[in-house]
Amino acid sequence: MNFSLRIICIIFITLILTGCKSDIEKKESFFDKSLDYFQNKEYKKAQIELKNALKIDPNYVDAYLLLARSMLKLGNVKDAYTAYNRIIQIDKNNVEANLKLAEFLFLGKKIEPAMEKIIFVLEKDPKNIEALLVKAQIFMQKKLLKKAFTVYETVLNIDSKNIPALQNMAKIHAMEKRIGMAEELLLKTIEIDNKNLRVRMVLIAFYARLKNIEKAEYQLRQAIKINPENNDAHILLGNLYFSQKKLDMAEKAYLNSTQKAPSSSKPYMITAAFYEKINNKDKSLEMYNKALSLEPENMAVKNTIARFHYKHKDIKSSDQIISEILSKRPEYYPARMLKSEILVYKKKFTDALRLLNELENEEPKAPRPLYFKGVCFIATGKYDQAKSSVAKAIKLNPNYFKARMLLADIYLNERSYELAQKEATFALKLNPDDYRTRIIRASSLIGLKRLDEAEKDYLKLIEISPDNPTAYYQMGVLKSALKNYEEAIKYLNFAHKKNNKSLDVFVQIIKIHVVKQEFITAHKLCKNQIKLYMDQKPLIAVVHNIEAGIYLAQNKIKEAKNSLNKSISIYPDYLKPYETLAKLSLAEKNKNKAIQQYQTIIDKNPNLPFPHMILGTIYDSNKEFEKASRHYKKALEINPQFAPAANNLAYYLVRKTDRIDEAFRLARIAKEKLPEDPGVMDTLGMIYYKKGLYGNAINEFLDSLKKSPDHPVVNYHLGLAYHKKEKNKLAIIALQRALQLSDNFEDADHAKQLLTELEN
């Protein structure tokens, strides 16, 4: 090698060595800085320095170990797991990485892979306490309690004051009913670390499970005595008193917690929640606002206050706070979730669904957006989508009470009684005293003909809420169906006493008196009910219509007509009296005279819609549909918002023509005016049926049958819709019901034909 070449090589090697030395110094400098940051709990800064070190040396194990620890301190489990995995790739024998990965695997319920890693760690380090504790936990998961106990004994041989081992040994003793031995071990943990509230809490929880409240309270008071400034102990004491319904003592403990930590929002938030639970709205809001004054930029506190307003139907205040939160943090998930609920409350279902879809995409394992999507789908008549969404929410959280109740209600509306009963029963395990859920289950049991079980549910409801009239009413209906009228009237009178303005209760009472031919009593009750309703014209019109029914049962036609005309004059939008008057005219075989009478009224006052309505109904009943439609149109010319004519004309159009859109427009007029009328629901159902929207149709028919269950035509229509939805079992039930009620309605022959086809 010549001299020049030798010089060049020396320079090149020197540069390389200098560069290497520089890189080593740099990475160690980054690591030393990160170590300082870590020790000072500045984990984010430590993370930055460690990543700089790893850029220089991607195989720097110590840096990965500290990075993984920093990630765990920051709550970033995913990146910690990645870091530990990377360490294994570099150094497969690394004890810490194998141990931590075993813990991750155990938490992810991957038991066997976790055990493999623990065995590996213990082969390297038989006295590794962390590994022994994980091994014992795996044995406990597998219900191998003796093996777990033996491992914990091994831990105590290494460290006689190991609190987790003592606590878990106590847990095993308790599981095997050795209560005294369990207590002895837990008391020992208190001796080891007397000032640690978390350690004492395990003992307190143990006493609480045994319902030994005195000892639990003593331990909490000891915690407060040792450390009077520990606001958590005061909060826990408040929780204990609250669980015993010692509300004054609970309040005192919670207020003490706020005094011990006057600059922390936490005790104020907990005290506010306590006041909310005991329905002291003003004090609750006062505490929430104090918490907010301490942390004015705390979005969680703001969102809690917004939810408080939402819960108490102050939607304006709730919406305002949510808008403030989202203006500062547009992606804040809890606020957006509450925003979607507010949109549902405001019936802005399209906007709500758009937001709920976004929330679901961001948090696919969150059940709440799915539940509210179900609510939106029900409101818009998309029952299959509602069912799917709510079922998905339940899959994610099997103990989601509201979702279980909603699914039970969907099944009940579909007449899937077995499924409804199953879901409601599960929901009641979660919340045994929920009124609505028990009503759903009782209704399902009636559908399954399990009347004794339904009766038990109603009696339980009366016990839970003796002032709620619903269960008394349902018991009355049940007893009436069994023809046990004495019992029925007793329960119905109770219901009427609880809510004397309930029309449903009143109707059932009148039905029983009519069946028993107690007409004087029935008429007297009608007069009393009219006084109760005072100036509520729609309800007074209904009572006059009921009164007409009583007169008809007595065969007093003249008096019945007078009552029907009173009903029409008081509230012309009400459908029933028109239909009854038309039927009376036809029954008297004096159609021409009736027509002449109403034509005379028209001649005297051509601006009245109701005579045209009655004439239309008479022609309708006589199957003279063209003439009927002309009068309905005339009534609507006089009053375009005249709901009875709009409904009947819509029904004619959907049944006899292809003018479905016009029928839909008219039906919506009727629905707006008469949202609870079963005839309007049936008309809308037929329009949806003709449009091919069979789910919506089923919904309307079922709503109609809730109001008027014994209407053969509506049951027939329901059967048609179920058939189109390919729910043939339900179609058969509906068609059979229709034909049991009547076998001579207009489409009875088609109902019989379709029923035969389905049964075969």
Side-chain angles (χ1 to χ4, degrees):
M1 181 183 292
N2 65 34
F3 180 77
S4 298
L5 184 59
R6 191 183 305 147
I7 293 296
I8 291 167
C9 287
I10 290 167
I11 293 167
F12 184 69
I13 290 164
T14 303
L15 286 170
I16 290 171
L17 290 173
T18 306
C20 289
K21 186 179 178 184
S22 176
D23 281 348
I24 291 167
E25 287 174 349
K26 280 180 184 176
K27 78 170 187 178
E28 286 179 354
S29 173
F30 285 134
F31 184 79
D32 289 342
K33 283 182 184 176
S34 70
L35 201 55
D36 287 339
Y37 284 134
F38 186 87
Q39 287 166 352
N40 289 318
K41 299 182 180 179
E42 296 181 78
Y43 304 115
K44 283 267 187 190
K45 289 180 179 178
Q47 176 190 353
I48 293 165
E49 297 299 331
L50 289 164
K51 286 185 175 179
N52 287 332
L54 288 165
K55 280 178 187 175
I56 296 168
D57 182 0
N59 294 326
Y60 194 178
V61 170
D62 287 346
Y64 271 117
L65 282 170
L66 194 57
L67 180 64
R69 292 170 199 159
S70 300
M71 292 295 99
L72 287 175
K73 293 290 185 183
L74 290 167
N76 189 340
V77 177
K78 185 179 176 183
D79 284 351
Y81 182 82
T82 303
Y84 282 123
N85 254 326
R86 176 66 183 138
I87 293 165
I88 296 294
Q89 290 167 14
I90 301 164
D91 175 13
K92 66 179 181 181
N93 295 322
N94 188 284
V95 169
E96 181 181 334
N98 276 289
L99 175 57
K100 288 297 178 185
L101 287 172
E103 290 176 3
F104 288 137
L105 289 165
F106 174 70
L107 291 170
K109 298 185 179 176
K110 295 176 180 176
I111 304 301
E112 296 310 320
M115 183 59 102
E116 285 175 21
K117 288 201 175 290
I118 289 298
I119 290 167
F120 176 82
V121 170
L122 290 170
E123 283 172 358
K124 299 278 181 189
D125 181 6
K127 292 187 176 182
N128 189 308
I129 286 177
E130 281 188 67
L132 287 165
L133 289 172
V134 175
K135 186 179 182 181
Q137 284 292 98
I138 290 171
F139 283 139
M140 288 189 76
Q141 181 78 23
K142 291 180 164 186
K143 309 276 191 250
L144 301 170
L145 300 184
K146 284 185 181 177
K147 286 189 175 183
F149 199 89
T150 303
V151 177
Y152 288 127
E153 286 179 323
T154 304
V155 171
L156 292 177
N157 287 334
I158 301 165
D159 174 12
S160 62
K161 294 183 177 181
N162 188 281
I163 287 172
L166 289 165
Q167 287 175 333
N168 281 300
M169 287 171 80
K171 185 178 181 181
I172 292 169
H173 280 313
M175 289 167 76
E176 296 185 338
K177 310 298 181 192
R178 296 188 293 272
I179 304 303
M181 296 172 81
E183 183 180 18
E184 187 180 330
L185 288 175
L186 291 174
L187 286 168
K188 189 175 179 180
T189 65
I190 301 298
E191 291 171 18
I192 294 166
D193 192 350
N194 194 30
K195 292 185 179 180
N196 191 324
L197 183 59
R198 288 186 180 182
V199 172
R200 199 179 291 272
M201 266 309 300
V202 176
L203 177 60
I204 292 164
F206 169 77
Y207 286 137
R209 280 194 296 274
L210 294 174
K211 297 192 169 131
N212 193 331
I213 303 302
E214 282 183 22
K215 284 188 176 182
E217 184 181 345
Y218 171 78
Q219 288 298 333
L220 275 170
R221 290 205 169 278
Q222 283 298 106
I224 291 168
K225 187 176 179 182
I226 292 162
N227 187 356
E229 302 307 308
N230 188 329
N231 67 304
D232 286 337
H234 290 282
I235 289 167
L236 291 169
L237 186 62
N239 292 347
L240 183 70
Y241 287 138
F242 182 75
S243 69
Q244 296 176 268
K245 296 188 168 65
K246 294 179 178 178
L247 301 182
D248 289 344
M249 294 171 79
E251 181 181 21
K252 186 178 177 183
Y254 289 130
L255 290 172
N256 281 339
S257 76
T258 64
Q259 290 165 12
K260 300 302 175 186
S263 60
S264 169
S265 66
K266 178 186 169 184
Y268 286 105
M269 293 295 287
I270 289 167
T271 308
F274 160 74
Y275 282 128
E276 195 170 353
K277 283 173 187 170
I278 63 170
N279 296 318
N280 191 330
K281 182 182 170 184
D282 292 339
K283 282 191 176 180
S284 179
L285 190 56
E286 180 188 339
M287 287 291 157
Y288 280 133
N289 285 329
K290 280 185 180 177
L292 187 61
S293 69
L294 292 169
E295 298 183 44
E297 295 306 312
N298 188 320
M299 297 304 164
V301 173
K302 280 189 174 184
N303 197 71
T304 302
I305 296 172
R307 191 163 281 284
F308 171 86
H309 287 306
Y310 170 77
K311 182 181 173 184
H312 292 281
K313 302 290 186 287
D314 184 357
I315 304 302
K316 185 179 177 182
S317 296
S318 181
D319 209 359
Q320 186 178 339
I321 295 168
I322 291 298
S323 297
E324 288 171 13
I325 295 171
L326 293 176
S327 68
K328 293 178 181 177
R329 287 181 61 184
E331 299 305 313
Y332 187 57
Y333 191 95
R336 288 160 67 218
M337 185 65 236
L338 182 51
K339 179 71 177 177
S340 72
E341 293 172 44
I342 290 169
L343 289 168
V344 171
Y345 181 87
K346 291 179 174 179
K347 299 184 179 178
K348 295 181 178 180
F349 301 115
T350 304
D351 293 339
L353 275 169
R354 191 182 301 113
L355 181 51
L356 288 164
N357 283 328
E358 289 174 13
L359 294 167
E360 184 191 355
N361 289 334
E362 288 172 33
E363 296 283 349
K365 291 188 177 179
R368 196 173 183 86
L370 290 160
Y371 166 77
F372 277 96
K373 279 178 71 173
V375 173
C376 289
F377 286 135
I378 287 172
T380 52
K382 297 172 182 174
Y383 279 79
D384 287 342
Q385 286 171 267
K387 193 162 49 176
S388 172
S389 190
V390 176
K392 195 174 172 184
I394 290 168
K395 190 175 180 181
L396 290 168
N397 179 7
N399 293 329
Y400 195 166
F401 168 74
K402 281 190 173 181
R404 288 275 182 187
M405 183 181 74
L406 184 59
L407 189 57
D409 204 17
I410 292 169
Y411 283 136
L412 179 63
N413 280 323
E414 287 185 344
R415 297 189 182 184
S416 301
Y417 299 123
E418 194 69 54
L419 291 170
Q421 183 267 335
K422 180 183 171 186
E423 287 298 332
T425 298
F426 197 111
L428 286 169
K429 286 178 185 173
L430 301 171
N431 190 352
D433 291 344
D434 187 75
Y435 206 93
R436 173 68 186 146
T437 307
R438 204 169 281 276
I439 286 285
I440 291 170
R441 188 171 76 169
S443 301
S444 306
L445 289 166
I446 289 172
L448 292 166
K449 311 289 189 232
R450 288 153 61 179
L451 304 184
D452 289 346
E453 292 174 67
E455 186 172 331
K456 285 177 186 175
D457 267 337
Y458 290 137
L459 290 171
K460 178 67 178 174
L461 286 169
I462 290 168
E463 179 190 322
I464 291 168
S465 183
D467 290 327
N468 191 320
T470 307
Y472 296 101
Y473 167 71
Q474 295 290 356
M475 275 292 283
V477 172
L478 180 60
K479 294 292 183 184
S480 183
L482 295 170
K483 301 193 185 323
N484 185 345
Y485 297 121
E486 294 306 317
E487 283 286 297
I489 206 74
K490 181 180 80 173
Y491 281 110
L492 289 167
N493 282 334
F494 268 123
H496 193 260
K497 194 179 288 184
K498 305 292 179 188
N499 180 7
N500 60 14
K501 291 189 178 180
S502 169
L503 193 58
D504 290 335
V505 174
F506 173 70
V507 168
Q508 287 297 325
I509 290 171
I510 294 297
K511 277 184 180 178
I512 290 174
H513 285 302
V514 169
V515 167
K516 294 174 74 178
Q517 297 192 334
E518 295 169 352
F519 300 118
I520 294 171
T521 303
H523 283 301
K524 186 178 177 182
L525 288 171
C526 284
K527 285 182 173 60
N528 291 339
Q529 202 68 21
I530 287 167
K531 288 177 185 175
L532 284 171
Y533 288 145
M534 297 176 69
D535 58 347
Q536 294 175 277
K537 290 183 178 181
L539 293 173
I540 293 170
V542 172
V543 177
H544 280 300
N545 188 66
I546 291 166
E547 188 179 49
I550 301 166
Y551 281 127
L552 288 174
Q554 294 175 270
N555 204 28
K556 294 183 175 180
I557 307 301
K558 183 181 175 183
E559 289 86 345
K561 286 182 178 179
N562 286 338
S563 292
L564 291 167
N565 284 319
K566 276 184 191 176
S567 179
I568 290 168
S569 66
I570 289 167
Y571 190 63
D573 278 342
Y574 184 39
L575 282 168
K576 288 287 182 185
Y578 297 106
E579 295 172 8
T580 308
L581 280 170
K583 286 175 184 176
L584 284 174
S585 298
L586 292 171
E588 291 172 337
K589 295 182 181 176
N590 202 352
K591 183 185 77 168
N592 291 333
K593 185 179 178 183
I595 290 170
Q596 189 178 8
Q597 286 173 337
Y598 287 109
Q599 192 59 56
T600 302
I601 295 169
I602 290 168
D603 292 340
K604 288 182 178 179
N605 191 344
N607 293 319
L608 293 175
F610 81 86
H612 286 288
M613 180 66 205
I614 295 172
L615 285 170
T617 312
I618 292 171
Y619 286 125
D620 229 334
S621 300
N622 207 37
K623 296 185 172 53
E624 296 180 67
F625 302 117
E626 282 292 333
K627 288 182 180 179
S629 69
R630 283 201 296 272
H631 281 285
Y632 296 143
K633 285 176 187 174
K634 190 65 182 173
L636 287 166
E637 283 175 20
I638 296 165
N639 179 2
Q641 298 298 307
F642 190 50
N647 177 69
N648 285 18
L649 183 55
Y651 190 76
Y652 162 74
L653 291 172
V654 75
R655 292 276 291 155
K656 304 296 178 183
T657 75
D658 58 0
R659 289 148 62 190
I660 308 301
D661 289 339
E662 188 181 347
F664 191 39
R665 179 184 65 78
L666 291 165
R668 281 190 294 185
I669 292 171
K671 183 76 171 179
E672 189 179 333
K673 292 278 188 180
L674 303 169
E676 298 300 315
D677 191 281
V680 174
M681 294 168 186
D682 180 47
T683 301
L684 258 178
M686 281 307 296
I687 292 167
Y688 285 132
Y689 176 81
K690 285 290 183 75
K691 282 176 168 281
L693 301 169
Y694 304 119
N696 292 26
I698 289 166
N699 174 35
E700 292 294 341
F701 295 141
L702 287 170
D703 284 348
S704 178
L705 288 170
K706 282 180 188 174
K707 301 283 182 182
S708 185
D710 296 334
H711 202 300
V713 175
V714 183
N715 277 283
Y716 163 66
H717 290 163
L718 179 62
L720 293 179
Y722 276 137
H723 173 51
K724 287 291 187 181
K725 282 288 278 185
E726 298 182 359
K727 295 184 176 183
N728 288 339
K729 286 184 180 179
L730 293 173
I732 288 168
I733 293 168
L735 293 168
Q736 286 174 338
R737 174 73 175 149
L739 292 166
Q740 284 168 3
L741 292 165
S742 171
D743 62 356
N744 64 357
F745 58 90
E746 187 180 352
D747 291 307
D749 289 340
H750 181 254
K752 291 171 189 173
Q753 180 188 338
L754 181 56
L755 182 59
T756 303
E757 288 173 12
L758 291 173
E759 287 176 334
N760 291 336

